[in-house]
Amino acid sequence: MGSAGTVAELVQRQWGDHRPGLKHEDTVLSHHQVASGAAARAALLADLLSADGEPHLGVLLDNTPEFPLWLSAAALAGAAVAGINPTRRGAELARDILHTDCRVLVTESAHLPLLDGLDLPGVRVLVTDTDAYTALLAGYAGAKPGEAVLREVGRGTRMLLYFTSGSTGAPKATICTQGRLAAAGQSLVDHFGVRRDDVHYICMPMFHGNAVIADWAPALAGGAAVALRRRFSASGFLDDVRTHGATYFTYVGRAVQYLLATPERPDDRDHPLRLGFGTEACAVDAARFRERFGVRLVEGYGSSEGGAAIQRTPDTPPGAVGRASPRDDLAVVDPETGEERAAAVLDARGRLLNGDDAIGELVNRGRTPFEGYWRNAEADAARVRGGWYWTGDLFFRDPAGFLYFAGRTDDRLRVDSENLAAAMIENILARWSDAAAVAVYAVPDPVAGDQVMAALALREGAAFDPGGFAAFLAAQSDLGTKMAPRFVRIVAAMPVTATNKVHRVALRREGFRSADPVWWNGAGGPYERLRGAELAALLGEYEAHGRAHLVSSGD
């Protein structure tokens, strides 16, 4: 079976294939039933969307069968799906729907309260778990793939409008065409050897690019089945994997840490899962995951916008993501000058010794497949500058050309005129045996620049031992003199976004003025609780230097 040029071709291949193709709770649909359901929805879409407007629909759903069915339907019809984030509210939610010119919004009863009071002119709302929806769809039950097309389908046909989760400003809707999505799926089929009898477990939210591009698309391209979890559940993960016979899953953010934080069981290795693919699981967590569950985690990197990709090869060192893909001319440069950064100096244990000279922003100096943002020329220009694609991500490169992720450009800290990357400090703190999850971020220094603050979620049954934590820090040979946290916040659970990424905006906003216990080491002494007189004295320093506004309580 050759590779397909469009997602529509991949959906059409499912016709007549009666193997299990989609699993969710007690529901099992064959590949043929998926293609048939997609054809019916494509025909409905062709009647709902006139030819004089943008063929866009919004999907405001949890991970239920309707989500991949509407993705497949859009592909057949030549329409584009905008994944709508259910954690957005009010005017922000309305903005996402209207900005992407959605004239149809597919949702479910559980999310209808989110739409109360919203002004959505010209938007037809379909509620999937209602009798009215079932009756409407029944009229299109005889449709076949390829019969109902809004626009001629080709590689350049828009397929996805998925929002980036930027920390500032309104989210940007990234364009992904059918050709790019089909190629991404086939690339992962080839890279991981996806088989027709595989089952891809989708527990990350499908409104996000990770679940669609790295989980659904390779299953579709390889003829594998997908199993859906309505929302990610660490406690339900292994039960789902066993029930559905899952062999592959994707993860983002802190999902791996949540799985490691579940109580260990004697049957932790009793499952068919063989591979996890994702981002932001540090080397320590990946090693712990493999030791406990017997599953290899592969850290990948592909810019959400498609502008740069890194390929992992068998000789990739621990902690590295891989090398640049053959199509890209990647470099690590100073974000301000564009000059290439020095090669990393690593010790015998692979720890970075010259982070201040080696860490920079990853850019693609070659031809980029970036397809732009929907109606946002300013963001396009910021992403592609001087003929280069700027990823917004920090990396360093070792002498052999292997690239290591070092965080986001927004996560940089400047302490005593030294530039630090939050991800590098997080990787060190993750070695602490009592830590279940770690987040590092900047808080303003009373005089100038930043200080390092860490939020720690502890493993079950653990209590914060300030002396033990200080001793742990002192034993880390690669923890630079500016990298030790000045402030430590102990959280019951790490605040995260809907895609399981740490909610750094909230952490930075609260700083050390939090309802959670906060410890600090003042002038470099032992860690002590920050409260009362100590807090008042610290705030007085900010006031004295005219920086009190930087640490307001946020009330």
Side-chain angles (χ1 to χ4, degrees):
M1 184 183 297
S3 59
T6 66
V7 178
E9 292 174 54
L10 294 174
V11 175
Q12 290 169 350
R13 285 181 181 178
Q14 295 181 300
W15 190 262
D17 185 346
H18 297 284
R19 297 176 302 119
L22 194 159
K23 305 179 180 184
H24 173 70
E25 297 175 353
D26 296 328
T27 298
V28 178
L29 302 179
S30 70
H31 289 284
H32 177 80
Q33 288 174 309
V34 171
S36 177
R41 287 161 178 77
L44 170 59
L45 199 58
D47 282 348
L48 292 179
L49 297 181
S50 60
D52 60 349
E54 298 295 349
H56 296 175
L57 66 146
V59 177
L60 176 61
L61 294 170
D62 290 336
N63 289 359
T64 66
E66 289 289 344
F67 210 127
L69 283 168
W70 277 103
L71 285 172
S72 298
L76 293 175
V81 169
I84 306 300
N85 184 343
T87 67
R88 301 274 282 173
R89 295 290 186 272
E92 292 182 343
L93 177 61
R95 179 263 174 198
D96 291 349
I97 297 167
L98 297 176
H99 171 69
T100 45
D101 294 307
C102 294
R103 291 184 290 153
V104 171
L105 178 66
V106 181
T107 189
E108 55 189 310
S109 297
H111 293 322
L112 282 179
L114 299 178
L115 304 179
D116 286 348
L118 298 191
D119 185 15
L120 299 173
V123 179
R124 171 77 177 269
V125 177
L126 303 180
V127 186
T128 60
D129 52 344
T130 62
D131 292 340
Y133 176 79
T134 302
L136 180 64
L137 206 53
Y140 300 89
K144 293 180 172 58
E147 288 183 342
V149 179
L150 284 160
R151 293 188 178 179
E152 184 177 352
V153 177
R155 294 174 186 264
T157 303
R158 282 192 303 276
M159 173 71 207
L160 301 176
L161 296 169
Y162 56 96
F163 288 99
T164 61
S165 52
S167 58
T168 59
K172 302 180 290 291
T174 303
I175 297 170
C176 180
T177 59
Q178 290 212 23
R180 180 156 80 88
L181 185 57
Q186 187 61 50
S187 175
L188 290 175
V189 167
D190 297 339
H191 191 64
F192 291 133
V194 175
R195 305 187 299 253
R196 284 165 59 83
D197 61 350
D198 278 330
V199 177
H200 286 208
Y201 180 50
I202 303 179
C203 55
M204 296 293 101
M206 292 194 74
F207 67 78
H208 189 253
N210 168 274
V212 175
I213 297 172
D215 216 341
W216 180 73
L220 188 65
V226 296
L228 306 178
R229 174 82 187 195
R230 178 177 281 273
R231 294 183 183 180
F232 173 72
S233 167
S235 62
F237 180 85
L238 276 185
D239 289 339
D240 267 1
V241 164
R242 295 186 184 106
T243 297
H244 299 306
T247 55
Y248 169 98
F249 79 106
T250 61
Y251 59 88
V252 292
R254 293 303 186 262
V256 168
Q257 291 184 340
Y258 291 141
L259 292 170
L260 288 170
T262 59
E264 294 189 25
R265 293 169 20 182
D267 61 351
D268 276 344
R269 284 174 168 251
D270 182 16
H271 56 75
L273 199 62
R274 70 170 187 271
L275 180 69
F277 176 57
T279 62
E280 299 184 46
C282 68
V284 172
D285 287 339
R288 289 173 178 166
F289 198 87
R290 186 162 192 170
E291 179 181 356
R292 176 174 168 184
F293 299 108
V295 177
R296 181 169 65 104
L297 298 184
V298 176
E299 279 286 297
Y301 178 83
S303 170
S304 298
E305 293 82 355
I310 298 173
Q311 291 185 340
R312 190 175 185 88
T313 54
D315 58 339
T316 300
V321 179
R323 286 192 174 103
S325 72
R327 75 177 193 206
D328 293 334
D329 176 18
L330 301 186
V332 178
V333 304
D334 184 311
E336 296 179 1
T337 67
E339 295 181 2
E340 198 155 353
R341 305 295 278 162
V345 177
L346 306 173
D347 67 12
R349 300 176 64 182
R351 299 179 179 183
L352 180 65
L353 302 180
N354 65 331
D356 199 37
D357 297 323
I359 295 173
E361 184 170 352
L362 186 72
V363 299
N364 186 357
R365 301 179 296 195
R367 184 176 179 180
T368 172
F370 172 55
E371 295 171 314
Y373 298 109
W374 180 249
R375 294 187 173 171
N376 197 333
E378 182 180 352
D380 288 346
R383 183 64 68 187
V384 180
R385 308 191 304 274
W388 293 359
Y389 175 86
W390 295 75
T391 66
D393 293 324
L394 300 174
F395 276 80
F396 59 89
R397 188 199 300 262
D398 70 17
F402 289 103
L403 291 158
Y404 298 69
F405 180 68
R408 314 294 182 195
T409 51
D410 289 341
D411 296 336
R412 286 180 296 173
L413 305 87
R414 189 164 180 82
V415 179
D416 290 342
S417 300
E418 183 174 332
N419 291 311
L420 305 175
M424 302 302 300
I425 306 174
E426 288 175 354
N427 289 343
I428 296 172
L429 299 188
R431 301 169 193 156
W432 189 40
S433 58
D434 283 345
V438 178
V440 169
Y441 46 98
V443 293
D445 181 88
V447 179
D450 303 318
Q451 291 185 356
V452 180
M453 185 163 184
L456 302 177
L458 304 181
R459 298 193 180 281
E460 188 174 357
F464 182 65
D465 174 8
F469 181 68
F472 160 79
L473 295 177
Q476 308 310 304
S477 60
D478 55 339
L479 186 73
T481 58
K482 311 296 184 185
M483 298 166 73
R486 176 62 57 87
F487 301 95
V488 178
R489 174 179 174 179
I490 306 301
V491 297
M494 194 65 67
V496 294
T497 66
T499 55
N500 287 304
K501 295 184 177 181
V502 172
H503 199 331
R504 296 181 189 278
V505 173
L507 289 171
R508 282 194 292 259
R509 181 172 59 243
E510 294 180 1
F512 51 76
R513 302 185 71 175
S514 163
D516 294 321
V518 173
W519 299 72
W520 77 313
N521 64 354
Y527 283 98
E528 300 176 341
R529 281 291 300 273
L530 179 62
R531 53 189 171 187
E534 294 84 2
L535 177 59
L538 178 60
L539 294 175
E541 289 188 49
Y542 287 92
E543 183 71 36
H545 292 92
R547 289 168 67 86
H549 62 287
L550 299 178
V551 290
S552 61
S553 63
D555 295 336

